[in-house]
Every structure is written in C-alpha cells, then in structure tokens.
Amino acid sequence: MNNQLKGTIVSYLNNKYGFITGEDSYSYFFHSTSLLNNTPNIIGKNVIFNPKPTEKGLSAYNIRLAKAYSYQALSDFQFLLYGTKPKGDIKWKYEICTNKFHTIEEARANLIEIAKTTGCNAILDARLETRQNRNFSNNYISKMYSYSANLSIISEEQFCTEKEKAEQLNQEFDQTLSATKDLAIVVLESIIQYKKESKFKRILTVLGFIMCLPSLLMMFTIGQSGVSGLLFSIVIIGFTAIPFLPGLIALKKHAEHISLVFSVSFGLPFLSVFILSNIGVPNWINIIIPLIFWTCGLYLSLIETNKVVSILANLGLLRFIENTGIQITKQKIQ
C-alpha cells in the first residue's frame, strides 16, 4: 500500500489528529505531524497521501493538499419561506401561484408537486395566502388557502482534484440546466394556459346565462313556443351577444388590453346612449355614435397589445387612458 491515494479530510480534532476518507471508501487515521502543509480549516479539503497499514488500522502520512477544481451541481431540494436566503446560486426562477385549497397542507403539497414536475429543486419566497368565503344562507365563513412562490433552479459549488472531470461535470450541468429550464417553461405555461381557459369558460357561461335570460323572459311573456319560440330566442340571443363580441374575442386571445376592449366596445356605447338620449339628439346619431365605439372596440380586440400601445401613443391618448385606471398592458408604461 505504498501507492498514493486521494481522499477528503472529514475530521480534525484539536489540530492534532483526524480521519481521511479515501477514494477507496476506507477511513485513514492521521496525525498533525503527517501534514506537509498544515493550514487552518482543512476539514473537507481534498488531499493526496500515502496509505500505511498499522496494528490499529489504516493510517495516512505525507499528506498534502490536492489542487481542487470547482464545478457546479444541483443542490438538494429547498422549501424556503419569504425572506429566507437560499443555499447556493439561483440559476433560474419563475413566479407562480397555486390554486385555492381547503387546507394549508393541500396547497403546500400542490406547490411542491408542481416544482418537482417541472424539475425545479427549490421553492423560494413562499407566501401563504388566505381568502375567506362567506355563505350568506347560514353565515358560515370558510377559508381557502394558496401559495405564491418562485420555483427555482439552484446550484452549489463542489470540488474535485481532476481538471478534466471538473470540466466534464460543468458541461453536464449546463446541459441539465438547459433541459430543466425548457421543461419547466413548457409545464408552467401549460398550467397557466389551462387556468386561462378555465376562466374563459366560466366567464362565457355567465355571459351565456345573461344573454339567454332576456330572450327566455320575452318568449314566455309574448307566448312564443315551439320552432317559432326557438328562432325568436336565437335572434334575441344574437342581438344580446353583439355588445360582448369584441370582449369575448380579446378574452379568448388572452389579450392584456382586454379591459380597454370591454370599455370601448361595451361601456362607451351604453354611456353614449344614456347621454345622447337625455340631450335630445336625432335618433340616427344615437345609433351611429355607439356603433362607432363598438367598431373601434372590435378593431382593438383583433390586434396585438403592443400595436394598441403604439396607436394610443401616436394619438396622445396613452397617458390619459392609463390615468383613468384602465389597464392596457401588464408592463409599466414609461
């Protein structure tokens, strides 16, 4: 056993003696006199030594520090609350909010499941959000819980004694990081898309009920039934749906300027009808002005948000609309 071995110092007591775990997985005892460069804080350092069997077991002598080469590796899974500093370097993060659950444990489990599904190894700045729901029939208050957090990929620096191995491990880490980020983005975007589509379906259901209600009431009022009643209902629903059409188009496209579309195509026509009917203008004006607003809203629903911002900026209306509280884009306009 006169060959040199590589190992790691795992303990060093009273600066006198300690143990080394060799690359052969055996434990080697050493004394401070066997250290060729006795430096402080040597626990965890990589060393090269000569092994020697003794009556009491294996020992190490001619111990010298090995040149260490650093490489990046994924850290262990971390779940950290808001304000807690993570261990390691943050390579990537993505803000997310879970669905609402009846218990804190369900919300936490859902967050962890999403993180592990996306390949993320850390949950940072986790914040528990609570919402109260009141049942007015029995005055019962229930709570719903959700988590908002940053799903993250965190690396930690590790060391080895071979330069080629460190370079290979760094290359493998970069490939793993890139693949994990791509997977996380695909999974998270699919979750967000599902939430948007679910929201769209709920809104569409409510609007459908609102549009059907007048036609049903009118059908029963005038005594329509059978095929004629069905056709009458379709006509009434069609006319009722027209004001909502631009907003529904923008909602389906998940446009950021949906508030502006609803305001122009639905809010302004009704406001103009109310004002014009009270100032006594001719009937044709009372029809044309709301139709112009509705057409503008339809046009806005068919174009992208960045083009909407550009048009409003050129018309000098961007600041004015933002100051009214109507959201055009999620980004802050400079």
Side-chain angles (χ1 to χ4, degrees), residues 148-203:
S148 61
N150 287 315
L151 301 186
S152 307
I153 302 174
I154 294 183
S155 69
E156 59 183 8
E157 190 177 29
Q158 296 186 1
F159 298 91
C160 65
T161 57
E162 299 177 7
K163 182 179 180 180
E164 293 77 11
K165 183 178 180 180
E167 292 176 349
Q168 179 183 357
L169 291 172
N170 278 324
Q171 185 177 2
E172 291 177 356
F173 173 79
D174 291 339
Q175 294 174 352
T176 302
L177 178 62
S178 177
T180 304
K181 287 168 58 177
D182 293 341
L183 172 63
I185 291 174
V186 171
V187 174
L188 292 171
E189 287 185 348
S190 65
I191 293 174
I192 293 173
Q193 182 70 14
Y194 175 78
K195 288 183 177 180
K196 287 181 177 179
E197 290 178 355
S198 298
K199 182 179 180 181
F200 173 75
K201 291 177 181 178
R202 291 195 299 269
I203 295 176

Side-chain angles (χ1 to χ4, degrees), residues 5-124:
L5 285 179
K6 296 176 182 178
T8 304
I9 297 177
V10 295
S11 65
Y12 190 42
L13 303 176
N14 300 324
N15 291 332
K16 291 183 179 180
Y17 56 88
F19 287 90
I20 298 172
T21 299
E23 59 184 350
D24 56 0
S25 300
Y26 287 104
S27 181
Y28 295 84
F29 172 84
F30 72 91
H31 194 272
S32 60
T33 56
S34 298
L35 293 171
L36 299 181
N37 39 7
N38 192 357
T39 58
N41 301 322
I42 63 172
I43 297 178
K45 298 291 185 181
N46 295 318
V47 293
I48 300 174
F49 62 94
N50 293 111
K52 180 180 180 181
T54 66
E55 295 179 357
K56 296 182 179 181
L58 299 174
S59 63
Y61 66 101
N62 291 336
I63 305 168
R64 62 187 182 277
L65 294 177
K67 188 173 182 179
Y69 298 93
S70 66
Y71 64 93
Q72 296 293 317
L74 292 175
S75 66
D76 294 332
F77 189 83
Q78 303 179 50
F79 187 104
L80 303 177
L81 298 178
Y82 181 79
T84 306
K85 186 177 180 181
K87 296 179 181 179
D89 297 326
I90 302 174
K91 297 297 183 181
W92 181 82
K93 62 181 181 179
Y94 195 104
E95 186 175 1
I96 192 174
C97 183
T98 68
N99 292 328
K100 296 177 178 62
F101 296 89
H102 291 287
T103 65
I104 299 176
E105 290 75 16
E106 288 178 314
R108 180 186 175 96
N110 179 252
L111 181 60
I112 294 175
E113 181 184 1
I114 294 174
K116 292 185 176 181
T117 302
T118 57
C120 296
N121 64 341
I123 297 173
L124 306 181

